[in-house]
Structure formats: structure tokens, C-alpha cells
Amino acid sequence: MISSKRLIGQFLCLLSCLLFAGGLRAEPETVTLNFVNAEIEAVVKAVGMISNRNFILDPRVKGTVNIVSSKPVDRSMTYQILLSALRLQGFAAIEADGVTKIVPEADAKQNFSVTGGKNLKASGDKIVTQVYPLQSESAVQLIPILRPLITPNNSISAYAGTNTLVITDYADNIKRINKIIEAIDQPNYGDVAVIKLQYVSALDLAQIVSRLLGENPASPAATPQTPVADSGQKFVVMPDIRSNSLLIRSDSPARISRARALVEQMDVPGNRTGNINVVYLRNAEAVKLAETLRSILSGENKSALPAASPLPGQPASSAAVTSTTSATSSTTSSIMADPQTNSLIITAPDNVYNTLRAVIDKLDARRAQVFVEALIVEVTTDKAAEFGIQWQAPLGSSGNNNAVIAGTNFGKDGNNIIGLSAAASTGTFLAPGAGLNLGFLQRLTIGGQEVTGLTALARMLESDANANILSTPNLLTLDNEEAKIIIGKNVPFITGSYAQATGAAAGAAVNPFQTIERKDVGLTLKVKPQVAEGGTVKMQIYQEASSIQDTTNAAGVITNKRSIESTVLVDDGQIIVLGGLIQDDVRDGMDKVPGLGDIPLLGGLFKYESRKHVKTNLMVFLRPRVLRNAAAAASLTGDRYDYIRNTQSLAAPGSHPFLPKTPPPLLPEMAKTQPAPAEAPIPAGQ
């Protein structure tokens, strides 16, 4: 057997001759390949010289190949021939950055490869990746069909979010798969049948047909608007309320025929004097909806329909009976509500029931919820300053019984020199006011008695107080339902009192009696939202912030109150300002002795000055958020729940070398809820 090295030498000599001859004749360059049991490494090196390509071989790439061409082939084909030979040995080529890597086929899908859409222009036995978006068919359902056509070491997967296939395989095989996908991914225009009903309600019959003929029966809570489709052929039943008809679409004409036969057997006239029907409600309240439907029946009695206009779903032959029935519908029909099961019990002829059933379906829609966030912000700045000198001094005395005293006194309580002196003379202690107080204490003898008192008092005070209060009451309520939240105290207020003697005799005991009314003092928020068409929210709002100011008043408790009552219109998720209070109070006070207090410098001994500046900023902001489905409400609840759990965990006491560890109480972790089944589309404005 001829060695591979010898074959390569002969091949290179032949190649040089061909290249030289080709350059003279200016004809297409061709080569003749003849590798028998040649080492892969040597063959790759030779093909690299022919095709001017750079190769990198994985250390696991070992073995021999056989390549024999009976006729000369174009030199550009040598690379594709090499890829085919490597594929038979379980190896693949990966092209990247001007270098071709030869790796085991099982590892090829994990490396970089040429990637493109369904119009990827690539051929041969090189590994490529294609992203193929589907238009009509389901990508997930195509996986079992295409998986057997993919090389076992390569991959195919589906992304349901965008209905897209991702395929990594050899370029030639992907071309074949593309043709298969194009043939399958075609719009399916199944037959549509319209079945007009005469006696039975289309809404009720649509649910029955869907459950009987759909291989995946709808749940009891399913709605007739929800299409029923099985894993194979599609079968969809939709009711048309306006014409009281059923719309049935299916890929199988046999299933449509079975549906027609079933509908014909069920669409028969019932008891003309009155049928009893039970309608279970999903969202509306049975008691309130029953009142609305009774009003509809009474309205029909006031304005009877013309005899020539039959109700929807009623045959023209009974038009003459229609006028009589509509005029007596309020007497021959009855509507009752069962609160326990939240259902309606309707006793009415078929034509009246069909009309009411269409109204019920529209009114029994899922109501939106509104989450209202109120932000009440109050920022207060209080700055005050006081400065003054007070003095008391004897000017002279006549004997032991008379004395002349002069001085100044300002303020009250602990700031007044007279009050402090009087307390000192009796031996009691009266604390002076806040601030710096400098005094001169002197003992005087007046009327033969020794009196201790303040002769002079100088007082200086400067105070600066800031307050930043933020209240964020939140409310969650149904559309068009009022919600109320109160955070505060329930304070008693005396409204009256009287005393009643227990006996007729003089000096009998008196039994006093008081009447008390309790009122809420604190933060109150009332909101009644109404979601309008287009996403705007109309809100009737009452907001009150009250506090207790004084409880010592003889007439009763004094309270501070700030309230806003308004009706606003705001977009979903937007913040608006309802109102606010910006108050700036500046007070400058001076107590002085006339004339003497105006003397420069010396006048400071005869006056007392005080200044106070209070600035209050109060703003109320509001933001409504419309929650139209269960997922939005669950997301909002989860955020607030996690916030409280994190706050509780931060309240844990630190470690102590002698005290036991006491973990704080924590809320249980919120369980992940499964998404609720799809319901009927929510009408605009609901």
C-alpha cells in the first residue's frame, strides 16, 4: 500500500504542473484527487494549499479518509469535497474570522456558526444556524415533525413567544427543511358555517356545542367567546348575539355536519307560557343585575314593539304573537336573584329570554379595579427669637412701712420677673422660660420683713424647628365603587350635659349626665373612581387631615382641619395635584416703656422684643392605576408584600454575647400563583 506522505508528494507535483499549464492556457484550473486511507491531517493540509484556506484541527480529530475523483474537478470544489468526507467521519467545519475549525460533530452546535433568517444563502456540508419565524403554524407543534430530519448531533428548538424555530445543522439539510416548512406553514382557511337559531339563545347553545364537540372540553367558567381548539383539527364556536346565530369554523367538514345536526335537534320551541332558565354570573352582582333587568321588562311593557318586527331569533310566522307577548312580558316573565350562587333565575318565553340573555352577557363583564395612591406632603419651618431685659429696684423708703419700687416686667409665666420673684419669696421654685436667663437676686427688708426677689432678669432665646411629614394612604377598589380609609383617633366631643336630682327632698343627691359624640380625628380619604373609555379615570375625592390642637378649652376640644372635596379627571398612572396650602406667617412683637424704650442703647433696658416666622407648605398628590386583570393585581400585591417582609427582616435585633437571639416575626413567603384562565375580552371603558 502506498503511504500517505508519498501520495501527497505526487499530488503536489501534479498540482504544480496543472497550475503551470492552466496559467499558459488560461483555462479553468482543475485537479484530480486521489487519497486512499490518507490521514485526515495530511488531507486537510493539502486542501488548504489548494483552496487557500486556513484550518485549525481539534486534537480529537483523528482518522483516515478516502477521496478519489475519476475526472478532474475544479479547485474551488475541493473544500466542499473535504467537508463531505469529514462529515462521513463524524467531524464538522466551523467558519469564523477567516479560519475554518475542524471539530467533532457533537460539539459543532456549541461553537460560532453562520447565522441568518429563513433566506440564509449557504450550501454544502458546513454547520449553519437559522432563525425561522413562522406565520401560520405553531413552532412548538412542528418540533416533533422536524426533529427526525435533523442530524442527531445537531439541534432544533422553538420559541413560543415569537413563534420562531431555531435550527443548527448542515446547510444542505437546512435547505431541505426550509422547503418542508414552507409547505406546512400555510394559512388554514377552514370552512365557516353560519347556523341561524330560532328558539334557543346562541350564547347558551355555543357553550354546549363547544363542550360536546371540542376534544378539550371547556371548563364551567369558560365563556362562549373563548375558542375551543384541540391538539389536532381546529374547532371554533362563536355566538353572534345580534342575529342569534352560531358561527362554526373547522378544518373538518364532518365535524361541521355533526354540529349542524346537534343544533337542529336542540333548536326547538319550548313552553310558550314560560321557561325557567338559570344563568350563573361571573362578575356582576345578581341582586343588582336583577333590578336592572326588571326595569328593562317594565320598559318593554310601556312601548310595545310593532307587530311586523319580530325579535331576533324568532320566526317571521310568529310576528303577530310578538306584539302581544311584548306587551305582557312584564306579567308573564319574572326575574329572581339567588345571592348564594350569584345566579339569575329567569322565567320567560323564548323570545324574551333570548333578548335578556344578550343583555346579561354584556353586563356580566369583568370590572376593572383602580389602585389609588395619595401623597400628602407637609413641610413646616418654625423660627423664633426673643431678647429683653426686665428689672425691679427700690428707689427709696419712708420708715419701715412705705417703699417706692420701679421697674419693668414683660411676658408671662416663667418669662415674667414679677412671677419669678413672687415664687422665690414664698420658697417655691418656678422655672424660667427656655433660653439663656441671667438674673440678679437681692434680699430686701420691707415693712420689717425680709423679702427675697429678682432685681434684674435678662433673657435671650433663638429656636429653629423643621418638620417634614409624608403620608401615603393607598386604596384599592372596584370601578365605580366608593372606598374609604381612616388613619387616626376616635375622639369624644361633649355635646350636652344636665344634672338631675335623685329625690324630691331638699339637698337630694344630684346625678350629672353628659352626652358625647365621637368623631374621627386624623387622616381620612374617600375615593369613588370611574374608568372611562380611553383609559382616563374620573374620581370623586374627599380628603381630610385633622389634628387635636387644645383640650383645655372650657367649650370643648379644639381641632385643626384641612380638607379637600373635588371631582377630577386624570389619565391612568399619571400624578396630579389636588390642592395645597402655602402659608407664610411672620410675627414681630415688641413690649416697651413709652419714651424710654426709644432711647438709643439705653432703651434696651426698657423693652422686650420677640420675632417668629412660620412657613407651612402642604400639598396633596394623587395617582390612580387601573388594574384590568388578575396579573396586574397580583404584581401590585406582590411588590407591597415583599416590601413589608424586607422591612420586618431589618427589624431583627443585633447579636449579643449574653442575650438569646430573638428573630422578628415575618410574613410567610407569598406563594407563586398560576395565571388565571383567559376570559372574555373586556369592553372599552370597563
Side-chain angles (χ1 to χ4, degrees), residues 29 83 188 193 224 241 267 292 339 388 436 448 455 489 491 504 520 604 676 679:
E29 299 176 351
L83 296 184
N188 189 355
I241 302 175
D267 187 25
T292 303
L436 178 61
T455 303
K489 301 179 180 179
V491 180
D520 296 324
E679 292 189 357

Side-chain angles (χ1 to χ4, degrees), residues 313-355:
Q314 187 172 4
S317 59
S318 61
V321 183
T322 303
S323 59
T324 305
T325 304
S326 62
T328 60
S329 60
S330 61
T331 57
T332 61
S333 305
S334 65
I335 302 175
M336 299 182 63
D338 182 20
Q340 282 73 23
T341 59
N342 195 38
S343 58
L344 296 175
I345 304 173
I346 303 176
T347 303
D350 292 339
N351 60 328
V352 178
Y353 171 73
N354 292 340
T355 304

Side-chain angles (χ1 to χ4, degrees), residues 146-162:
L146 301 178
R147 177 68 263 184
L149 305 178
I150 303 296
T151 307
N153 288 326
N154 292 324
S155 65
I156 178 173
S157 57
Y159 178 58
T162 57

Side-chain angles (χ1 to χ4, degrees), residues 162-217:
T162 57
N163 198 34
T164 302
L165 291 173
V166 180
I167 308 172
T168 299
D169 203 359
Y170 294 100
D172 284 345
N173 194 35
I174 285 184
K175 283 186 174 181
R176 178 182 65 139
I177 293 174
N178 287 350
K179 294 180 180 180
I180 297 174
I181 296 176
E182 291 176 0
I184 297 177
D185 188 29
Q186 299 293 331
N188 189 355
Y189 302 102
D191 295 336
V192 178
V194 180
I195 305 177
K196 188 173 179 60
L197 304 177
Q198 295 183 351
Y199 306 103
V200 185
S201 170
L203 291 169
D204 295 337
L205 193 56
Q207 297 182 9
I208 297 174
V209 174
S210 298
R211 295 171 187 172
L212 290 177
L213 300 183
E215 294 187 8
N216 291 336

Side-chain angles (χ1 to χ4, degrees), residues 372 374 473 475 477 481-486 520 523-529 539-544 564-567 578 622:
V372 181
L475 285 173
T477 181
E481 294 288 345
E482 182 180 291
K484 177 181 180 181
I485 184 172
I486 299 176
D520 296 324
L523 185 64
T524 303
L525 177 63
K526 297 180 183 178
V527 178
K528 184 178 182 180
M539 292 184 293
Q540 299 177 8
I541 305 163
Y542 177 77
Q543 188 273 326
E544 177 185 311
I564 297 174
E565 186 171 3
S566 178
T567 302
L578 292 183
L622 207 67

